[in-house]
Amino acid sequence: MCRPSYGTGDGCGTTVNWRPSTRIVFRGNTISDTGGDGIVVRAADHALVEHNTAYDIAMRPMGSNAGIWTINSDATTVQFNEVHHVRRLADNNDGMAFDSDYGNNDALFQYNYSHHNEGGFMLFCGACGAGSSSTGTVVRHNLSVDDRSRWLYAVGEKNARMYQNTAYLPAGSTAAIIQDGSGSTVTRLTNNVFQNLGTGGFTNYTAADYTWQANTLHGNHPANEPADPEKSTADPLFANPGGAAPEDYRLSANSPALRTGSPIVGNGGRDYFGSAVPAVCRPDRGFAQLSAFDDAACTPPTPVNAVRNPGFEDATLSPWTSYGGVTLDTANAHSGARAAKVGPAQAAAEQVVTLAPNTTYRLSGWGKVSAAGTELSLGVKQYDTAGSTTRAAFTGTTYTQGTTTFTTGPSATSARIYCYARSGTGYGWCDDVTVLPA
């Protein structure tokens, strides 16, 4: 059944109360020669799928199938599994090892080994149901070797994070790194290593939906390869590229990917092999940590603004979403060339930002209104399970800076910020929005 908070938005077509199955564990199974899927978690809360092997999946499929996937569920964890040789029919888009499908909140895929799957490594299918959505999917410390078609097939996800993964695409591969099937997959990629010796790249790729930080992209370099302020194109120097064991894709002692990652809060604490990973020092890129580190001796990194397109300088509003009247205004910017103009009331520009749990943040930005009697809010919501919200208000006709602080819940990995024309008949403007640790 569906969550009432989603209504028909999770693709279930009903507003009946969501009654999840609980205490579901799939552990230590070997699954092969299936007609369709391998393991499916549906309408569950905190299900656990671990230490399973699934291969020769979808051998007699009637439709779309994947190796291990979850749908309409909260906080599913998929870890320590090996999935290989999932078939993909010529007339469908599935056939991958793993899938975070529609109606999911906070699915977690970690420490998995995927190889030789015809549909690829990962599917985000949050938009696969009519009006459906998923948010908060995390994909970390996984290895993908010679997965076909594409590493990620993206068909909708409001706030995904993919970090510390390793992917190897051998010579002769035509698989894309990302194939975007929706234009609505908001994803941050950090500290991943892609060795792409084939010819694939980025298909139907919408650059504004993806944020890249400290990734290695070695091998093929298509014209639309994404920008990354700390991108490396150097050979990561795997121990034995092309090998059949996960150990073959550890970094060598002289790899340029050592100690060049971006620190990540709440990174799981360990890598694929069980080695500790740093929280303050720069980690090695990819699924395995080789370098020694001392977090107590490292300087914390400079905080990164969680807001994308914070000054509305891009040619489009994306990744901000418009509700009501929202335009890019070149005549009323606080700085730069543009600001967001919202109104008349009620209208808003909103964006989902990726955050760490149990962390206090400061939301700041500049705002003004066109006339007395109009109120503009710069605020944040959906940062805890209580549905809390906090905002700064603007009623003046010249730019002033507004600030508010908030603390994320113990399981929160995202929040929704907004620039909202709350009341009155005039317009409001927002510019230079930041969300930083307080």
Side-chain angles (χ1 to χ4, degrees):
M1 298 187 181
C2 304
R3 303 166 181 73
S5 61
Y6 280 112
T8 58
D10 65 358
C12 300
T14 177
T15 56
V16 176
N17 286 348
W18 182 65
R19 301 186 186 120
S21 298
T22 59
R23 302 181 182 179
I24 292 177
V25 177
F26 292 92
R27 178 183 291 127
N29 301 284
T30 298
I31 302 159
S32 67
D33 194 26
T34 63
D37 299 302
I39 296 174
V40 184
V41 174
R42 189 181 191 110
D45 184 25
H46 284 83
L48 177 61
V49 183
E50 65 177 6
H51 298 291
N52 302 285
T53 300
Y55 65 96
D56 291 345
I57 303 298
M59 302 302 288
R60 296 165 296 280
M62 298 297 291
S64 300
N65 300 105
I68 300 175
W69 58 290
T70 181
I71 180 172
N72 194 29
S73 297
D74 282 354
T76 301
T77 296
V78 179
Q79 62 183 10
F80 307 115
N81 303 284
E82 180 178 356
V83 180
H84 60 96
H85 293 94
V86 178
R87 290 186 61 210
R88 176 189 176 188
L89 292 181
D91 60 351
N92 72 49
N93 277 317
D94 286 44
M96 56 284 298
F98 304 103
D99 168 21
S100 179
D101 219 278
Y102 63 74
N104 286 322
N105 289 316
D106 303 322
L108 174 62
F109 296 81
Q110 61 183 3
Y111 317 125
N112 299 292
Y113 179 28
S114 167
H115 57 99
H116 302 97
N117 297 291
E118 292 184 5
F121 163 61
M122 191 75 211
L123 168 64
F124 292 158
C125 210
C128 289
S132 64
S133 62
S134 285
T135 189
T137 299
V138 173
V139 181
R140 65 188 184 191
H141 303 289
N142 300 284
L143 173 64
S144 167
V145 175
D146 198 10
D147 282 322
R148 317 297 166 81
S149 300
R150 62 294 224 206
W151 180 73
L152 169 66
Y153 183 44
V155 194
E157 223 292 350
K158 289 184 177 180
N159 183 38
R161 292 181 296 152
M162 307 183 77
Y163 60 87
Q164 302 289 165
N165 300 288
T166 294
Y168 175 77
L169 300 173
S173 169
T174 59
I177 293 175
I178 294 177
Q179 179 184 356
D180 196 309
S182 68
S184 61
T185 301
V186 178
T187 304
R188 177 179 289 272
L189 297 102
T190 310
N191 301 345
N192 301 291
V193 173
F194 299 95
Q195 186 164 49
N196 180 11
L197 305 182
T199 58
F202 301 86
T203 305
N204 300 327
Y205 178 75
T206 305
D209 290 342
Y210 298 86
T211 302
W212 295 76
Q213 182 71 35
N215 297 276
T216 293
L217 293 162
H218 171 69
N220 186 41
H221 299 289
N224 65 339
E225 181 173 284
D228 180 334
E230 296 184 71
K231 177 168 62 178
S232 171
T233 59
D235 189 335
L237 299 178
F238 294 139
N240 181 32
E247 290 79 3
D248 293 321
Y249 300 91
R250 289 179 180 267
L251 300 176
S252 299
N254 57 342
S255 170
L258 299 177
R259 297 179 294 277
T260 58
S262 179
I264 296 174
V265 176
N267 57 20
R270 54 157 290 173
D271 71 358
Y272 178 93
F273 296 100
S275 299
V277 294
V280 179
C281 298
R282 281 186 171 268
D284 299 341
R285 302 184 186 194
F287 80 132
Q289 177 73 24
L290 178 67
S291 303
F293 61 89
D294 180 2
D295 275 339
C298 289
T299 302
T302 301
V304 176
N305 185 10
V307 183
R308 292 169 300 136
N309 193 13
F312 304 96
E313 297 302 315
D314 293 350
T316 65
L317 191 65
S318 180
W320 296 85
T321 301
S322 172
Y323 298 92
V326 181
T327 58
L328 294 175
D329 189 344
T330 58
N332 285 279
H334 169 257
S335 69
R338 299 181 179 89
K341 179 181 179 181
V342 295
Q346 293 175 343
E350 298 189 357
Q351 181 182 148
V352 175
V353 294
T354 298
L355 303 174
N358 281 327
T359 304
T360 300
Y361 289 91
R362 180 177 289 107
L363 167 66
S364 297
W366 294 80
K368 68 175 184 174
V369 298
S370 62
T374 297
E375 181 178 313
L376 175 75
S377 293
L378 176 65
V380 57
K381 57 187 177 180
Q382 299 174 7
Y383 54 84
D384 60 18
T385 56
S388 304
T389 185
T390 183
R391 64 189 180 91
F394 303 89
T395 56
T397 56
T398 59
Y399 270 115
T400 58
Q401 187 176 31
T403 300
T404 187
T405 59
F406 63 99
T407 301
T408 54
S411 62
T413 57
S414 66
R416 183 178 291 271
I417 59 173
Y418 57 86
C419 174
Y420 174 45
R422 185 168 183 263
S423 61
T425 58
Y427 295 89
W429 288 267
C430 285
D431 204 358
D432 300 325
V433 182
T434 61
V435 173
L436 295 168

